[in-house]
Amino acid sequence: MPFFLVASVVLPLAVEGADPLRQVGWQLAAFGCALPLAALAALLFPLLRPLEVAAVRSLCGVPAERLAEGPGVSWAARRRTALWFVAHLLAGGIVSGMTLAAPPAAVLLLLLPFSEPLQHTALGWPDAFSGVLAPLAGLALLALVAGTSWAAGALLGRIAPLLLGPTPADRLAAAERRAADLASRNRLARELHDAVGHALSAVTLQASAARRVLDADPEFARRALAAIEETTREAVAELDTVLGLLREEDGADPAAPAPTLDGLDALLARTRAAGVPVEATVEGTYARLAPVVSREAYRIVQEGLSNALRHAGPVPVRLHLGVREGELRIRVENPVAGPSAGAAAGSPDPAPRPGGGRGLRGIAERARLLGGAATAAERDGVWRLAARLPLGAGNGERDGDGDGKRETGNGKRETGNGKP
């Protein structure tokens, strides 16, 4: 109606003698001029598409999954919305005009045989409508209005998915949103698995050992309970870190800094407190590593130690970190648990867990996101986890010599069985 009123005002100014307010022909002309104005409005206002989508869902019964979401941003989406808007207004204008004119005429035709004054009134209808056929003509006129309304709705319902459905750009944007959501979920899953899983594995081993020697060695049980308390405290801090990472994705400051290789000594101490002897060799310094490389390296080491705790029990573990050829290389080795490995250390054999494999998949994802690689396999009774992380990943930080390499000769550090 707003576009029709604008056309009704402009048309007499442009054409002499035009009278859209009184003459049916000029009214149809004004209606025809209003449709291009509606198409122009649809091109200029992207928010028109969600309004039309809502109308189609409620009036035409089109499933929501076949229609696009959000405003039409691209010009292709706007052109399709403009075509739909014109079709909608054209069908609506025809049905509206018939609804205004046909029912009063149908009522007169239905009453014509029974009303003497109407029979003598000059209605301008053909003589065939003045007799018995008048009520039938009235019913046919009402049926025509109903049939036109149904046909218009059915036609609009069929073309709505073509014109208001998602464009290739909409599908690409939706795929990108799904990929971003999946990446965020995978990141959360990796952080929870590596951070909390390590602590729970250590607590399980310590609690099992304390239970077995509670009567025979109360002092050892007290030390194990103290270690459990410290490990769970660290687990709560790790959980705060993960939640902080989630808030960081939303633009807020994280609740706690993500752990990096600066916390490697504390990680090794907690692992040794769980009864796992760890021999660690670190070549070079990691203070100048890019934060993202240091963080992912810490998680990889943490998951490697967690795997040893979960699947092998308190067996000796060898850890090696070094920089070579522009890469940070990580290697974790431990013997595969034998039938008496746990009993020799005072702990039960690690119980098999259903499922599994998520930690190794998370390690591979971490390395791949930084442009590196990770492998894990058993060979000659020894489980070996190896990862390579490029030093230039993340913030692109490089070493002071400018070629991406680190000096490792004077910075070598070795620890074995908890002794520096």
Side-chain angles (χ1 to χ4, degrees):
M1 186 58 70
F3 305 111
F4 176 75
L5 292 177
V6 171
S8 299
V9 172
V10 175
L11 197 58
L13 300 178
V15 180
E16 185 178 358
D19 190 3
L21 299 179
R22 295 182 177 87
Q23 300 177 4
V24 177
W26 285 112
Q27 289 178 356
L28 295 178
F31 179 70
C33 294
L35 295 179
L37 296 177
L40 180 61
L43 288 174
L44 297 179
F45 297 99
L47 290 177
L48 182 63
R49 187 172 75 169
L51 296 177
E52 290 298 308
V53 167
V56 169
R57 288 177 180 174
S58 57
L59 297 179
C60 299
V62 179
E65 59 270 12
R66 300 185 61 188
L67 301 174
E69 296 181 357
V73 179
S74 65
W75 284 108
R78 296 187 186 188
R79 287 193 295 269
R80 294 169 62 175
T81 304
L83 289 175
W84 161 261
F85 196 41
V86 169
H88 184 187
L89 295 186
L90 177 61
I94 294 174
V95 173
S96 297
M98 294 181 65
T99 303
L100 291 174
V107 171
L108 290 177
L109 289 172
L110 291 172
L111 297 178
L112 186 60
F114 310 102
S115 176
E116 192 71 21
L118 288 178
Q119 295 177 1
H120 297 284
T121 302
L123 299 176
W125 292 342
D127 294 338
F129 290 160
S130 60
V132 183
L133 295 179
L136 296 179
L139 293 177
L141 194 57
L142 292 178
L144 179 63
V145 174
T148 303
S149 301
W150 175 85
L155 179 62
L156 292 177
R158 296 195 61 166
I159 66 174
L162 299 177
L163 299 180
L164 293 180
T167 64
D170 294 328
R171 294 189 181 95
L172 179 59
E176 291 176 348
R177 289 193 298 270
R178 287 194 297 269
D181 292 340
L182 182 59
S184 178
R185 291 170 55 187
N186 287 340
R187 183 187 184 192
L188 173 60
R190 288 196 304 268
E191 294 295 331
L192 287 175
H193 182 278
D194 295 350
V196 182
H198 175 80
L200 294 180
S201 298
V203 167
T204 300
L205 196 61
Q206 292 162 340
S208 178
R211 178 179 57 83
R212 291 173 62 89
V213 300
L214 180 60
D215 297 329
D217 191 352
E219 182 60 29
F220 176 83
R222 280 192 292 269
R223 291 198 303 270
L225 291 175
I228 290 174
E229 179 183 2
E230 180 63 24
T231 303
T232 52
R233 185 180 296 111
E234 293 290 339
V236 172
E238 291 280 0
L239 185 59
D240 288 340
T241 299
V242 174
L243 297 178
L245 291 175
L246 293 178
R247 284 188 286 269
E248 186 180 16
E249 292 179 352
D250 296 334
D253 294 334
T260 63
L261 288 179
D262 291 335
L264 180 62
D265 292 338
L267 175 63
L268 296 178
R270 292 195 300 271
T271 305
R272 291 176 180 130
V276 177
V278 181
E279 179 183 347
T281 302
V282 179
E283 296 181 354
T285 61
Y286 38 74
R288 296 177 56 194
L289 286 177
V292 64
V293 176
S294 183
R295 183 183 68 211
E296 300 303 323
Y298 177 91
R299 291 303 193 194
I300 290 174
V301 172
Q302 186 181 51
E303 178 57 23
L305 298 177
S306 297
N307 279 337
L309 281 170
R310 293 191 194 102
H311 303 290
V315 297
V317 178
R318 296 182 61 185
L319 169 65
H320 179 270
L321 283 86
V323 176
R324 187 181 305 170
E325 299 178 356
E327 295 178 331
L328 174 63
R329 301 192 176 187
I330 303 170
R331 187 173 68 252
V332 181
E333 299 177 347
N334 62 271
V336 178
S340 61
S347 299
D349 296 336
R353 295 187 310 125
R358 297 183 182 87
L360 296 179
R361 186 161 58 245
I363 290 176
E365 290 175 354
R366 291 181 186 276
R368 187 167 56 249
L369 288 174
L370 295 182
T375 59
E378 177 189 353
R379 184 177 180 182
D380 299 330
V382 177
W383 179 265
R384 292 180 175 87
L385 168 65
R388 298 182 294 103
L389 305 180
L391 297 181
N395 298 332
E397 296 181 9
R398 304 181 67 90
D399 297 83
D401 55 7
D403 61 358
K405 298 182 179 179
R406 295 178 183 272
E407 295 295 334
T408 60
N410 298 329
K412 187 171 183 180
R413 181 179 58 153
E414 293 189 0
T415 61
N417 300 327
K419 298 180 181 180

